[in-house]
Amino acid sequence: MGAARTAFARANARIGVLAGIAAVVLLLSGLGSAVIESLAGSAASGLRDGVAAAAGSSGATRWQIRLASDAEAQSDEAAAVLDRMIVPHGAAWERSVQTMPVAATAGDATFGAVLTADPAVPGRAELVEGDWPADAATSGDAVPTAVNAAAAEALGLETGSTVALDGGIELEVVGLWQPEDVLDPRWFGEPIVSTGSAAGGSGPFLVDEPATVGVPAAAIVRWTATADPAIAVDEAAALRAVLPDVEPALRDQPDMGASGLSASGGLGGTLTRLLAGIGAVRALAPVPVLLLAITGFATLWRLAALLGAARRSETVLLRARGASATRLARDTALEVLAVGVPAAAIGGAAAALVVGLVRPGDAREPAITWLVAAIAVAAAVVLVAGRAFVDAARPVHRGAGDEVGRAPRTAIAGGVLLVVVVAALSLWQFSLYGSPLVTSASGSVDVDPIAVLAPVLVLFALALVALGLSRPIGTVLERVAAAGPALVPALPMRQLARRSSLFASASLVAMLAIGGLTLAAAFAGAWQSVDAKAAALANGAEVRVALPGRDTVQAPDPLAFADPFGELPGVTVDAPVFRGEVRLGSDPATLVAAPATGLDGAAPGTGLAAASAALAESAAGAGVPLPEGAATLEVEVGVRAPAGTPGEVAVNVWLLSEGGAASPVQAGEVAIADGGGTVEIELPDAAGIRLLGLQAALVDAPGAREVRVSFDGLGVDGEAPSTALAGAFDAVELSATTPTARAALPGDRGRLPVVIGAALAARVNAEVGDPLDFRTIVGGVEVEAVVAGVVPDVPTAGSTSLLADLGALERVAFDAGSGVPQFGERWLAASDPGRTAEQIGRDQSVASVATTRGDVSSAALIGPAVAALWTGAAGALLFALIALVALTSALSTSRFGEVVVLRVLGVAPRVQARARFSELAATVGGAIVLGAVVGAVTAWFTARELARATIADAPSSLHAPFALDWWPWLAGTVGFMLLAALAAGLAARGVRRTASQPGLREEER
């Protein structure tokens, strides 16, 4: 028989073992490439989605300075810097010029006009009427302009209207435009774009750049940079690193200007957060990959041992006839290649198909699939052919061929010790950093190559230690079982104690599989817990609705008493919230003002029940409650002024909604010459309305002085003024220099109670009861506050922040005569947050953007990594089953003579079958118990920190608990036990069938 026919015959005789090797290669190739591709694809898609979702200034960076006298040279130098530093890294920039408000008149309206020269506006806005300035001509010397439609409506402008600016410049409105998306980062979140007015200016009035130079107001040139939504991970990292260096580079340019250059925007922070999330994915990626690799290679080693044991007699015979060990190893390698290459190709193709169906938008790299397939085939060839070479070089071993001598045992012990030492070093590094992620000097988050291996190395080391304990444990169990008279369990325990190496590889793979499953369950449970808490603190409410362009209350607020979202199906709480920056001296902080009553209901899961109670008293004293169901409110106004003073006094009634939102309501005017009168308002149809105060203003009274306005009484629904409100307000003095004044409710209400974050409390050394003064940026309110409580974190603001009742804050601002902050968010509690946010997105009757906790969750980035971890654990379980089947096959071959002898000695086939089943059951059961313990210990040291590290922007006060995701763990464990029981049952059935054959002899095997 030729060499080729001999090799083919040998392969055909062991086709079952070779099929097992092919199955392992297929799983290694398929699962390995699927895990790696899904993790790589999820990182790239998560970055793209995060960049695309960044709204307003969070998705852009802006550099600005006063327009230089040589604007062209200034522009050229800035363009050279930006083109060199950020454009190669996936960013784009746009230049624009904008003026400070210029005194302007149009008809009877006087206002501050904001002029903007931005050629890119037509690309992100749409014309409502008319033409763009570049496409239109005007009569005379008027400068063509297109004005924001919202500003035009407020100012009464239309196409053809003229606007006179100080300095003798006249604008002619040739078009009205509106932004296509006010949240586009290129708009930089400017309120004037969405509302038409901000900070004393109206517009923007879109003009050509020369028009911005001739007006008597400062002109600011801005360069706004945004990232390409299709940016790659490497580009994003490079862009994040270079952004801080752009401002110094611009300053170094001689024609940029002497001073005043500033940088702003949150693009750098957004990229940092997204890259940190990608780093977290990379920190988790080695766990499923290494788990698959270790269990897969261990299974291949078990199959290689089975193939060698099955061919022992053939090997001895061929060696006796002159076959070299090299030739036999080469033939085995060819056999493995023959079955492994097609299996690897099928596995890789299946993985590519599944990943493409599950994540169709992800970019995939085919080289990953082929690389993983090549590694799987190479590993199979090396392990199986290497074992064949060892068997051929030393064809005769003691016993069944699975026992090894003293030198190999010493080598194995040394290898185990090495793994333990490396695992300890990796765990020490992991504990030192608190996670596999470290922050570099540049601020980027990198993965430590040693600490990242800690979970798998600790799992592997503990499994090896547990495997080493199997022999002494088996000896103890053997002695316990030997005390009984029956063969079962004495016989199985004796086999496990005396031939532990035969069961070692299958036990190790099973322990690693169950340990990996337990580690996955612990990580998933910890991650789900900390992610839910982090998402709740990041978003505040279950649905957070941002209302762009709101600043201070300057006119009746249609949203104060309306409930635009409360009528949506499933919405149970709708609370107005103000969020803005404050200064404690020179230190910045964030203030969140929300209704104290039911605050925990508006932001469930954020732990604000105690804070709500601490702020309840200030909420109750924010205003005077008006009778429920009241329709009108009358105010008796008295006016005293020098004779002949012209004009009228306009009266506004300031009201608070139930949630604390303030809004003035125009009550009417009384003639100064009449000495007063009665004005009346219709009260909003809303519950819980409170009276905040009154406001008087001179109208058409030039040169007026010493106009004294008193509020003599208030009545509800035509009734006489109530004793509680009559005379409650002090008189106010008006003049041409002070045309507006507010009348607040009398009485000293003390300091404003606030709840502060723990980090802020530590920074300013404040405790409960201590005074704390700050100033709001919006409205410029000087607030004298008192610390009413300390919380770890304030929702949406973090630990360096303050929390106050919205109505109480509005009262302080109103009493101080400052700008009254206007809420810019609504916090909703809903039964189906996702559906509610979707409905708000479809109905844009109110300009808004709704986000849910799911939108800010790390699930988009970490979810695929968790799925990959479960996939790795599932693959390990499959490898454990293959190793168990290989073990049963090895036992049926090596212990054929034992079955014969026991049958001759009178041991019934049923008893032998029970003994074999007991052996396998004890092996699997022990591996499951030890694997669960090993996995739990590994998870205790690594899973919580690993889960915490995956939430890149989680508050430092959040700690991941030790919690298991029970249902997947139970499903995997029970499924493995059932399949293992089936394999053990089939093996026992084979023993019983063999032992039942009459006249059986050992030579017949």
Side-chain angles (χ1 to χ4, degrees):
M1 181 180 293
R5 294 187 60 186
T6 300
F8 180 80
R10 293 187 71 206
N12 188 57
R14 307 302 173 190
I15 192 62
V17 181
L18 293 174
I21 294 172
V24 173
V25 171
L26 185 147
L27 289 174
L28 276 175
S29 175
L31 295 178
S33 59
V35 166
I36 295 174
E37 279 204 58
S38 64
L39 290 176
S42 67
S45 63
L47 174 65
R48 292 195 301 268
D49 294 344
V51 170
S57 60
S58 65
T61 292
R62 173 173 286 178
W63 302 273
Q64 63 182 38
I65 194 173
R66 290 195 65 161
L67 188 65
S69 56
D70 190 350
E72 184 176 354
Q74 183 188 46
S75 176
D76 290 343
E77 288 187 343
V81 170
L82 297 176
D83 287 344
R84 182 182 76 252
M85 297 187 70
I86 68 171
V87 171
H89 305 309
W93 59 271
E94 295 176 354
R95 178 183 179 274
S96 63
V97 177
Q98 184 166 289
T99 69
M100 301 299 288
V102 182
T105 57
D108 295 334
T110 301
F111 56 93
V114 176
L115 309 186
T116 297
D118 188 352
V121 165
R124 57 180 186 269
E126 59 182 359
L127 277 172
V128 177
E129 184 180 343
D131 299 306
W132 296 110
D135 302 328
T138 61
S139 58
D141 296 331
V143 176
T145 183
V147 63
N148 187 335
E153 182 179 0
L155 300 173
L157 300 177
E158 57 187 16
T159 54
S161 298
T162 58
V163 178
L165 307 178
D166 277 7
I169 298 177
E170 184 178 84
L171 304 179
E172 180 177 338
V173 178
V174 297
L176 306 179
W177 60 270
Q178 64 183 12
E180 294 179 347
D181 180 9
V182 297
L183 300 177
D184 189 326
R186 292 176 294 177
W187 291 118
F188 209 68
E190 294 179 294
I192 196 172
V193 174
S194 57
T195 64
S197 64
S202 298
F205 289 82
L206 191 64
V207 297
D208 291 334
E209 187 170 330
T212 64
V213 179
V215 298
I220 307 298
V221 58
R222 297 102 51 93
W223 294 270
T224 304
T226 56
D228 185 351
I231 189 170
V233 175
D234 293 341
E235 289 179 329
L239 179 61
R240 168 63 185 88
V242 79
L243 281 177
D245 300 329
V246 174
E247 182 182 354
L250 290 174
R251 290 184 184 276
D252 290 341
Q253 305 305 309
D255 291 326
M256 279 299 297
S259 62
L261 180 67
S262 64
S264 58
L267 178 59
T270 297
L271 291 177
T272 298
R273 176 177 57 84
L274 293 172
L275 290 172
I278 293 173
V281 172
R282 290 174 174 171
L284 188 61
V287 179
V289 174
L290 290 179
L291 184 62
L292 283 171
I294 292 174
T295 54
F297 294 167
T299 304
L300 284 174
W301 183 250
R302 175 67 262 174
L303 290 171
L306 174 61
L307 184 62
R311 288 178 167 176
R312 184 160 293 109
S313 59
E314 299 174 14
T315 302
V316 173
L317 178 61
L318 291 173
R319 287 283 283 149
R321 292 185 177 182
S324 67
T326 303
R327 174 192 164 188
L328 294 178
R330 183 199 62 194
D331 291 345
T332 303
L334 292 175
E335 292 172 352
V336 174
L337 286 173
V339 298
V341 171
I346 294 173
L353 178 61
V354 171
V355 172
L357 292 175
V358 174
R359 303 187 63 85
D362 290 353
R364 294 188 297 276
E365 181 56 58
I368 294 177
T369 301
W370 302 121
L371 177 62
V372 173
I375 292 174
V377 173
V381 170
V382 170
L383 291 173
V384 180
R387 181 60 184 257
F389 179 84
V390 172
D391 285 346
R394 298 177 60 194
V396 179
H397 295 274
R398 295 185 300 162
D402 289 290
E403 296 289 344
V404 293
R406 180 175 300 175
R409 286 180 183 176
T410 302
I412 291 174
V416 171
L417 180 61
L418 177 62
V419 171
V420 171
V421 171
V422 173
L425 176 63
S426 179
L427 182 61
W428 176 81
Q429 190 89 331
F430 184 94
S431 302
L432 180 66
Y433 296 137
S435 80
L437 303 177
V438 292
T439 303
S440 65
S442 64
S444 62
V445 178
D446 300 321
V447 178
D448 184 83
I450 298 176
V452 74
L453 301 176
V456 175
L457 287 180
V458 171
L459 180 68
F460 189 36
L462 291 177
L464 289 175
V465 171
L467 186 65
L469 296 175
S470 61
R471 183 182 290 270
I473 293 175
T475 301
V476 173
L477 295 177
E478 177 193 2
R479 293 176 180 176
V480 173
L487 284 176
V488 180
L491 184 60
M493 292 302 101
R494 185 174 294 114
Q495 289 290 338
L496 293 177
R498 299 180 181 180
R499 307 181 69 178
S500 58
S501 61
L502 190 61
F503 299 87
S505 56
S507 297
L508 176 63
V509 177
M511 276 192 286
L512 287 172
I514 296 298
L517 185 68
T518 305
L519 178 61
F523 171 81
W527 169 72
Q528 289 167 5
S529 176
V530 73
D531 180 65
K533 295 176 183 177
L537 289 173
N539 202 61
E542 293 175 328
V543 182
R544 178 183 174 193
V545 184
L547 307 168
R550 295 168 68 84
D551 193 351
T552 57
V553 182
Q554 299 176 354
D557 187 355
L559 298 181
F561 300 100
D563 199 5
F565 312 114
E567 300 300 324
L568 294 176
V571 175
T572 56
V573 178
D574 182 2
V577 177
F578 167 80
R579 185 176 182 274
E581 189 176 352
V582 299
R583 289 286 190 273
L584 288 81
S586 60
D587 293 336
T590 301
L591 172 65
V592 175
T597 305
L599 185 58
D600 199 41
T606 55
L608 292 182
S612 178
L615 301 176
E617 185 176 351
S618 66
V624 178
L626 297 178
E628 291 293 335
T632 60
L633 176 69
E634 300 84 23
V635 182
E636 295 181 2
V637 184
V639 181
R640 285 170 38 187
T645 302
E648 294 84 26
V649 173
V651 178
N652 282 348
V653 178
W654 281 72
L655 303 175
L656 281 178
S657 70
E658 186 175 26
S663 177
V665 180
Q666 297 174 353
E669 300 174 353
V670 295
I672 296 176
D674 293 342
T678 301
V679 294
E680 179 182 286
I681 64 168
E682 291 187 6
L683 293 172
D685 183 16
I689 297 177
R690 292 170 286 173
L691 178 64
L692 178 61
L694 302 173
Q695 177 178 297
L698 291 177
V699 179
D700 296 332
R705 57 187 178 86
E706 298 181 358
V707 179
R708 179 182 175 85
V709 181
S710 60
F711 304 100
D712 302 324
L714 286 81
V716 177
D717 291 341
E719 297 181 359
S722 66
T723 56
L725 298 177
F729 298 96
D730 294 333
V732 297
E733 297 285 344
L734 303 178
S735 66
T737 57
T738 311
T740 302
R742 295 174 184 168
L745 291 168
D748 182 12
R749 303 182 189 178
R751 289 178 169 268
L752 174 69
V754 295
V755 173
I756 64 176
L760 180 61
R763 190 173 74 187
V764 300
N765 194 25
E767 298 178 352
V768 175
D770 290 347
L772 185 70
D773 298 340
F774 60 88
R775 176 177 59 86
T776 66
I777 300 300
V778 173
V781 187
E782 298 289 345
V783 181
E784 295 181 347
V786 60
V787 179
V790 178
V791 295
D793 296 279
V794 175
T796 74
S799 60
T800 57
S801 54
L802 306 91
L803 178 68
D805 176 71
L806 178 61
L809 176 67
E810 307 285 58
R811 186 267 305 168
V812 170
F814 181 87
D815 290 358
S818 305
V820 177
Q822 188 175 49
F823 71 90
E825 298 179 1
R826 306 286 292 213
W827 287 9
L828 313 180
S831 57
D832 188 348
R835 181 183 177 189
T836 299
E838 184 181 353
Q839 289 176 318
I840 293 173
R842 288 199 305 262
D843 179 17
Q844 283 295 323
S845 57
V846 177
S848 62
V849 55
T851 58
T852 66
R853 293 177 178 180
D855 296 328
V856 300
S857 168
S858 64
L861 277 173
I862 308 302
V866 178
L869 190 56
W870 286 118
T871 302
L877 290 173
L878 291 176
F879 290 139
L881 286 172
I882 294 174
L884 180 63
V885 172
L887 174 63
T888 61
S889 179
L891 292 176
S892 66
T893 301
S894 63
R895 295 171 61 186
F896 183 84
E898 175 188 315
V899 174
V900 176
V901 173
L902 291 177
R903 183 69 182 91
V904 171
L905 294 176
V907 180
R910 179 174 56 83
V911 175
Q912 292 196 53
R914 285 176 53 200
R916 184 64 57 86
F917 183 86
S918 299
E919 290 174 12
L920 296 173
T923 300
V924 173
I928 290 176
V929 173
L930 290 176
V933 172
V934 165
V937 173
T938 304
W940 178 264
F941 284 108
T942 62
R944 292 173 298 170
E945 290 77 6
L946 193 60
R948 177 62 181 77
T950 58
I951 314 298
D953 52 353
S956 58
S957 62
L958 283 186
H959 300 284
F962 186 81
L964 291 180
D965 192 0
W966 283 104
W967 289 113
W969 185 87
L970 287 173
T973 304
V974 172
F976 175 70
M977 291 175 62
L978 293 176
L979 292 175
L982 176 61
L986 292 176
R989 183 180 177 184
V991 170
R992 184 172 183 177
R993 183 173 58 250
T994 301
S996 299
Q997 295 178 12
L1000 185 65
R1001 294 180 301 174
E1002 184 175 358
E1003 293 80 2
E1004 297 178 7
R1005 62 174 171 175

